[in-house]
Amino acid sequence: MAEDNNGAFIWSIANLLRGTYKQSDYGKIVLPFTILRRLDAVLDPTKDAVLAEFEKRKNGTIPVEKLLPSVAGHDFYNTSLYTVEKLTGDPTNVRANLLNYIDGFSANVRDIFDRYDFPAQIAKLDENGLLYLVVQKFAGVDLHPDRVSNTEMGLIFEELIRRFAESSNETAGEHFTPREVVRLIVSLLFTEHPDEDASKSLSVPGAVRTVYDPTAGTGGMLSVADDYVRDHYPQASLTLVGQELNAESFAIAKADMVIKGQAIDNIVWGDTLTDDGHLGKTFDYGISNPPFGVEWKKQQSFVQKEYDLRGFDGRFGPGLPRVSDGSLLFLLHLVKKMRPKAEGGGRVGIVLNGSPLFTGGAGSGESNIRKYVIENDLLDAIIAMPTDLFYNTGIATYIWILDNDKPASRKGKVQLIDATDQWVKMRKSLGSKRRLISPAQIQHIVQLYGTNGEDPESMDADASKIFATADFGYTTITVERPQQFNWAVTPERLERALTAKNLAAVAEQVELALLDLSTARETTTNAAVFTAGIKKALAGAGVTLTAPQLKALAAGLAERDETAPVVTDSKGKPVPDTNLRDTENVPLTEDIDAYIQREIAPHVEHFWVERSKDNIGYEIPFTRYFYKYVQPRSLEEIDANLHKLVQEITVLLGEVERA
């Protein structure tokens, strides 16, 4: 195929760079030159017309940037007299002429080369005698749209990105998601359920949908989504939209849009959390692989301000996660970007680590985010993936599928799929990536999701479980126990009491004043009698304590005594012992009063539940739901193994002695 030949040839050009560039930097040269050659070929049919119009209009009252796109037939153009082929005709001035050619592009394309710092790369190539050779090589690559379609060009570009990312293992995972992982997410995202509204189907002739990635990286997820729709729904079209913060990755993603014939301005540069590049817009599909476990301290003031001022009108109304991990902020951002249900609804596929499943108790930012997503029936499914799939981390990861307009069969339900065993070992590791998911395994996981995995005859029935949304919720109740103390002045208690900060200045005087009581070691459960005795002993020694000092002294001389009377306040209510305060998580599916009588009352004599402190939380204990009991080895088997090891060690020691 044309793309195979061209892709291999372009890749071979990297050999020219060996010695001058590190392998991990090859992409900084080959990728922008590939973009340049494609744009050169795309603009070739209208080049003369654009130059003629530019000469005629360049001094006119209407800016040429408004006139030339229509002449070029694209939303970009070039007004330089040069082409890549013409550059080869003047080896001596190739550097100056190439810079002139780059400057001739419209601002929206020139931005791509600026992100690559392309003039600096051109200078380095020229200084090392490589620039003309590279230009000459690329002039020999035929990337004209008549020979290489947008789809084929996209495949070439993706393959180059993949190769360069894999050759730079230390950074690949930051901006490049393994292709098989993306294919799985995309396949799940576009799966249509049997009872889904037919009008939403991509099978509808002329269907036009949008897919948005707020952490677009090099645009890989958007590209795979586009490829999937082309393959499975050729009558539909997909508009790709995204935002990316890393300059080089942004340049690649933007170039990919050009290569695919997408609107070049659909990819926006900037920090999604602080500067939403698609403010006010919603999309049919959202897809993202945000950074795992990365703090959002730099964005905290902006995010906090939006949370405080806009609440649920903004993106972060449900809550804010702890600053050490901002991945749930991207989840909330995507929820806000979902097409409203009245307009056809939206779906989201996002990769998260394990932390968002359970981190944070009831009332925390993380729990409140889960609560919002689950109680609004947005969570459709979570798929646990194998470890060691990503280039820069081997941690457990999960795909969350969200849907704000579920079909009837899935309303009020959440599907959990355990796909941790769906992997094959790679022949050669790439950074932390030691495993991949095969096409057959992707199909298997998608089938589990598409059929709800509820076939009781299936060998994999245990890999898919369906839960009601309430199954993930719980009420945290506060269990109070009253103060019950006895008091005594003993050397041990007195030493402990005098460590109180506000008694440091009078510790010696207090110790001498209470010497007689300490010797007596009398114990009482009557707080009033004990306090009166303390005051009397202190007064007799001429020691005066403030009320806080006296309270600290009495507290230090007290010990818990479950046989003592319950301490009450002035209204006769029991005073809670904060050291014994406890909480219990009661599933939402259980009656709280029944839980108290069953789980607490039989074990504690004096207690009460402070129901005014009830707090509803949500967590998804994925591992617990799929825990499989493994029978431990028998003692006989363990003994036999130990005996075998002892024999082997004895033989080895004998060989050492003989040596």
Side-chain angles (χ1 to χ4, degrees), residues 163-235:
R163 291 198 191 191
F164 289 125
E166 288 179 355
S167 69
S168 179
N169 293 336
E170 72 274 9
T171 59
E174 294 179 14
H175 313 296
F176 188 82
T177 306
R179 276 298 180 265
E180 83 276 9
V181 175
V182 183
R183 289 189 186 100
L184 173 58
I185 300 169
V186 167
S187 298
L188 293 165
L189 193 61
F190 289 110
T191 294
E192 297 181 354
H193 299 287
D195 61 332
E196 199 158 4
D197 184 351
S199 66
K200 294 167 58 177
S201 175
L202 285 165
S203 301
V204 175
V208 179
R209 301 288 186 269
T210 53
V211 60
Y212 165 67
D213 185 350
T215 55
T218 58
M221 284 189 155
L222 294 173
S223 290
V224 175
D226 189 49
D227 292 341
Y228 184 94
V229 170
R230 288 176 186 274
D231 290 342
H232 293 79
Y233 305 100
Q235 72 286 352

Side-chain angles (χ1 to χ4, degrees), residues 555-599:
L557 297 173
E559 285 190 356
R560 175 77 186 172
D561 184 351
E562 293 192 1
T563 66
V566 171
V567 177
T568 57
D569 60 19
S570 59
K571 296 181 180 179
K573 293 183 177 181
V575 178
D577 186 340
T578 56
N579 291 323
L580 295 177
R581 181 174 292 154
D582 197 9
T583 58
E584 295 272 340
N585 290 340
V586 183
L588 290 182
T589 52
E590 288 199 39
D591 178 77
I592 292 178
D593 291 333
Y595 179 92
I596 292 170
Q597 292 305 311
R598 185 182 74 248
E599 300 293 338

Side-chain angles (χ1 to χ4, degrees), residues 58-136:
K58 64 182 180 181
N59 296 318
T61 56
I62 302 175
V64 292
E65 55 265 27
K66 294 184 178 297
L67 299 170
L68 295 185
S70 60
V71 180
H74 303 278
D75 56 0
F76 57 94
Y77 55 86
N78 188 294
T79 58
S80 169
L81 296 175
Y82 291 100
T83 64
V84 172
E85 187 177 351
K86 287 180 180 179
L87 290 171
T88 63
D90 187 1
T92 305
N93 298 304
V94 66
R95 176 178 173 180
N97 295 342
L98 177 55
L99 290 173
N100 175 272
Y101 185 35
I102 298 295
D103 287 340
F105 278 107
S106 51
N108 54 1
V109 163
R110 202 162 56 244
D111 181 44
I112 296 173
F113 298 103
D114 289 343
R115 303 289 175 179
Y116 272 107
D117 196 13
F118 202 41
Q121 302 297 346
I122 291 171
K124 184 175 179 179
L125 286 169
D126 191 42
E127 290 163 6
N128 286 275
L130 294 172
L131 182 59
Y132 182 74
L133 292 175
V134 172
V135 171
Q136 192 177 44

